[in-house]
Amino acid sequence: MFELKLMCPQERVETLSDALEALDALSVSIEDADAQTDAEQALFGEPGMPPPKNGWQRSRLTALYGAEALAQDALTQLQAQDFFVDCQVLGLEELPEQDWVRLTQSQFTPVEITPEFWIVPTWHEPPAQARTVIRLDPGLAFGTGTHPTTRMCLRWLAQRSGGTEFSVKTGLGRVLDYGCGSGILAIGAGKHGATDIDAVDIDDAAVDSTLLNAQANQVQLKAGLPDTATGVYQTVLANILATPLKVLAPLLWSHVAPGGSLVLAGILGAQADELKAAYAPYCQLAIADQQEGWILMTASN
């Protein structure tokens, strides 16, 4: 494998990326050329919000080719184009042979939710102090426990089922995980005593992933598309994004049983007020946790 590395200004990123793909690149990645410096720029995007820029002020593009001749031919053709005038060639080099599976696995290590509750990939042994463990490997669906929103939801589940404020006897009750992804929250609920769990998602791949992960963790649950969620639940979890959470306000609240709890995540701290306003006709949301700029919001019925 050979990597062709280029530098280009923001306005050329999309054009250059498309050209590399048309010239048979196996993959094209884009990075901030000023990452880890004072000039680093953060780009975020979310449904319903203005789209992020296509690239950074100075973007580094890396195209992967299966042969050096293919990469060199692509470079020759690119240099003949008018749009390449502001671009720069950083290099063409052969990638060393690597165990890509082992390299990928090295990026995923056990994740601590609480000192006794951990998310552990199958290629790791659980830490000695772990009393509750979810076995989960990265897959096609969102949710490995590494993102702050997932960790906050799981921590809430652990505290709700066994903390001083809520008794184990009361527990989580009937649970709905809306937008389940990998099923990690539904599985976390099952690990903390819930026995009647529905997990729903708009993506069939997420439903399949949830069922497989639940089976691997010996958790009994039902998974399906959103219309399979019926009735009311003592615990309703939704770790999505702020915009769909606002749209789903009446639906999600309609599933919360009297005395039940609504738990929302995927929300940036700056979005707290707009979430409170969206849910004001139904409940009073409050910030229950925050981590790395993300917040967890909850309400009781």
Side-chain angles (χ1 to χ4, degrees):
M1 292 291 184
F2 290 80
E3 281 187 337
L4 174 60
K5 296 185 177 182
L6 307 169
M7 179 93 74
C8 75
Q10 178 183 302
E11 62 271 14
R12 301 281 192 232
V13 168
E14 186 172 3
T15 301
L16 190 55
S17 299
D18 291 344
L20 286 164
E21 292 180 0
L23 291 168
D24 300 324
L26 298 174
S27 68
V28 179
S29 61
I30 306 168
E31 303 172 279
D32 184 358
D34 296 310
Q36 310 302 318
T37 73
D38 292 340
E40 181 176 3
Q41 294 176 289
L43 297 181
F44 299 102
E46 182 178 336
M49 297 180 67
K53 298 174 183 177
N54 291 324
W56 293 269
Q57 196 65 35
R58 299 194 316 146
S59 292
R60 183 188 299 111
L61 275 68
T62 302
L64 185 65
Y65 283 90
E68 184 176 13
L70 291 173
Q72 188 61 60
D73 180 61
L75 178 57
T76 299
Q77 294 191 57
L78 286 173
Q79 289 174 320
Q81 307 302 316
D82 292 340
F83 61 74
F84 198 76
V85 64
D86 296 323
C87 301
Q88 178 185 353
V89 180
L90 299 179
L92 173 59
E93 58 186 39
E94 183 177 7
L95 282 175
E97 288 292 330
Q98 296 193 65
D99 184 338
W100 294 104
V101 172
R102 187 176 296 276
L103 179 63
T104 300
Q105 290 179 344
S106 70
Q107 301 173 29
F108 293 91
T109 57
V111 176
E112 179 181 350
I113 305 303
T114 72
E116 297 181 342
F117 180 24
W118 290 71
I119 313 300
V120 184
T122 56
W123 53 83
H124 282 283
E125 287 298 318
Q129 68 270 34
R131 298 176 63 181
T132 302
V133 173
I134 296 178
R135 286 290 200 175
L136 196 68
D137 296 340
L140 294 177
F142 174 82
T144 60
T146 58
H147 197 275
T149 60
T150 309
R151 295 201 302 272
M152 288 190 292
C153 288
L154 290 170
R155 187 159 54 239
W156 185 93
L157 288 169
Q159 293 169 345
R160 175 74 188 233
S161 64
T164 56
E165 183 180 357
F166 303 99
S167 69
V168 176
K169 184 177 181 181
T170 301
L172 298 168
R174 189 178 185 220
V175 173
L176 172 63
D177 180 2
Y178 199 99
C180 56
S182 67
I184 188 170
L185 301 186
I187 294 167
K191 290 285 185 176
H192 286 88
T195 56
D196 188 356
I197 308 167
D198 286 344
V200 301
D201 203 290
I202 61 173
D203 186 350
D204 288 330
V207 173
D208 293 340
S209 179
T210 293
L211 291 170
L212 289 172
N213 288 330
Q215 183 179 18
N217 282 278
Q218 293 83 52
V219 169
Q220 297 293 320
L221 55 74
K222 297 184 289 294
L225 298 177
D227 59 3
T228 61
T230 59
V232 294
Y233 301 80
Q234 194 69 19
T235 304
V236 176
L237 304 155
N239 180 17
I240 316 176
L241 284 171
T243 298
L245 285 175
K246 289 189 290 184
V247 174
L248 290 167
L251 174 65
L252 292 176
W253 187 249
S254 71
H255 284 302
V256 181
S261 296
L262 177 66
V263 182
L264 306 178
I267 309 162
L268 293 168
Q271 298 169 320
D273 288 343
E274 58 189 272
L275 263 294
K276 288 180 180 179
Y279 281 79
Y282 317 102
C283 61
Q284 185 175 355
L285 281 178
I287 298 174
D289 200 354
Q290 51 191 324
Q291 188 173 353
E292 298 177 28
W294 298 90
I295 58 174
L296 182 79
M297 303 191 79
T298 61
S300 298
N301 193 356

